[in-house]
Amino acid sequence: MSGAAGSAADRDDVTSARRIVVKVGSSSLTTSAGGLDADRVDALVDTLVTSRGNGAKEIVLVSSGAIAAGLSPLGLRRRPRDLARQQAAASVGQGLLMARYTASFARYGIRVGQVLLTSDDTSRRAHYRNAYRTLDQLLAMGALPVVNENDTVATDEIRFGDNDRLAALVAHLVRADLLLLLSDVDALYDGDPSTPGTSRIAEVRGAKDLDGVSIGSAGKAGVGTGGMVTKVEAARIAAAAGIPVVLTSASRAADALAARPVGTYFHRTGRRSAGRLLWLAHASTPLGALTLDDGAVRAVVERHSSLLPAGIAAVEGDFSAGDPVELRDTAGTPVARGLVSFDAKEIPRLIGRSTRDLARELGPAYEREVVHRDDLVLLR
Ligand SMILES: Nc1ncnc2c1ncn2[C@@H]1O[C@H](COP(=O)(O)OP(=O)(O)O)[C@@H](O)[C@H]1O
Ligand SMILES: N[C@@H](CCC(=O)OP(=O)(O)O)C(=O)O
């Protein structure tokens, strides 16, 4: 950890970033009474338009605020705890939020495109490709995508619940060069910033730099969700996927985008990887589990092989072909996640059988992997 402010030269990655995902939290878009704050939206939009230049940089905005914007129109005094009322508020608020952005970007002649994602869109191959295509096309046409979770249809089980992690996954999806996380606090602190004596963490080079840091939940504004925990988790996911991250307040966004040493800078820790496997590891909710015998665990984990029916010892859950499932060893420890290519109800009769036997008995359609290695991500 470095408590000292880094120099601007440390942030070459920021200066050279061409495609940037900016995530803004509800607390940065609302008034103290809880409604959408048009001035704050305009200030953010001014900053993003300036940073974008004449199209030299591309920006994808991941914006929270739908639930917060829907509260007062529905006569709600605070964010409800139950999912149904949160969804009702999001349904009313998302339209208001987009209307605000549409008007604000229109001051510069820039069109915005709404993109609402669920976690399903992030793990199923066809959905993932489609989400990428839509975002890429919007950018190619000079529009600015505004992404949020599709709160109104997401159930508790499949919900991201926080846009921080969603933003990290969107950054990976669009192959961004930088993720900027904007909140109501100017940086990550080594303890709750409302406690006197805590200091700013200027940069994070890896997990060790966070040892001993007390990372707390949502702030006093009461409209945010995940607090610092989800922001640090999002920064970790992006950094591991080769995307540097700056975490700061919305009021310092211009400084951050100009590579000035504000906020907390998370250096990349991993290499850029293509494909949707990051989504599978971090965003998918497994809909079932396959227990692998010892030989299959070795094949999958050590030799990166596909999972064949012969290596399966047990199946649980109610899933369809294409759904994410967990792969466990016989002790029940998760070893991988993958997209399964059979429905749950088809698997019992395949268990322990060779693909050749299955093909002979059931037809050539059964001569295939239960989880193809291209659809697998290891967890250890
Ligand atoms: N170690 C920490 N460093 C910075 N902020 C922290 C820390 N621990 C807890 N917080 C709180 O997290 C809050 C930001 O989270 P949240 O309210 O969910 O924001 P947003 O709506 O922007 O996503 C800050 O206002 C702060 O009070
Ligand atoms: N999708 C929700 C936002 C959830 C969320 O992560 O909120 P925040 O912690 O303010 O970034 C909404 O638009 O209200």
Side-chain angles (χ1 to χ4, degrees), residues 18-43:
R18 233 189 76 70
R19 188 170 275 193
I20 303 170
V21 171
V22 178
K23 184 262 165 174
V24 61
S26 317
S27 57
S28 305
L29 298 171
T30 43
T31 59
S32 50
L36 266 185
D37 185 331
D39 292 340
R40 297 179 92 184
V41 173
D42 282 351

Side-chain angles (χ1 to χ4, degrees), residues 127-185:
H127 292 217
Y128 177 91
R129 281 216 195 108
N130 209 29
Y132 171 72
R133 230 185 348 246
T134 307
L135 288 163
D136 202 48
Q137 189 61 52
L138 281 167
L139 292 169
M141 296 174 96
L144 196 138
V146 180
V147 181
N148 197 355
E149 178 163 15
N150 195 347
D151 290 308
T152 53
V153 297
T155 60
D156 255 338
E157 293 74 43
I158 62 156
R159 236 171 149 216
F160 285 110
D162 69 87
N163 272 356
D164 299 316
R165 225 161 34 117
L166 174 65
L169 298 170
V170 167
H172 177 252
L173 175 75
V174 301
R175 294 157 207 168
D177 307 306
L178 176 71
L179 171 62
L180 175 60
L181 295 173
L182 301 175
S183 180
D184 60 346
V185 60

Side-chain angles (χ1 to χ4, degrees), residues 76-89:
L76 296 166
R77 302 251 308 270
R78 61 180 69 84
R79 186 187 167 94
R81 285 181 192 275
D82 60 297
L83 184 60
R85 281 190 303 165
Q86 284 177 16
Q87 290 179 315

Side-chain angles (χ1 to χ4, degrees), residues 23-30 64-65 162-164 181-194 198-201 213-232 247-248 264:
K23 184 262 165 174
V24 61
S26 317
S27 57
S28 305
L29 298 171
T30 43
S64 304
D162 69 87
N163 272 356
D164 299 316
L181 295 173
L182 301 175
S183 180
D184 60 346
V185 60
D186 72 320
L188 174 66
Y189 281 75
D190 57 6
D192 187 331
S194 58
T198 49
S199 46
R200 172 170 80 104
I201 298 174
V213 174
S214 149
I215 302 169
S217 49
K220 54 188 172 310
V223 287
T225 52
M228 264 309 131
V229 179
T230 52
K231 281 176 230 318
V232 171
L247 191 165
T248 191
T264 302

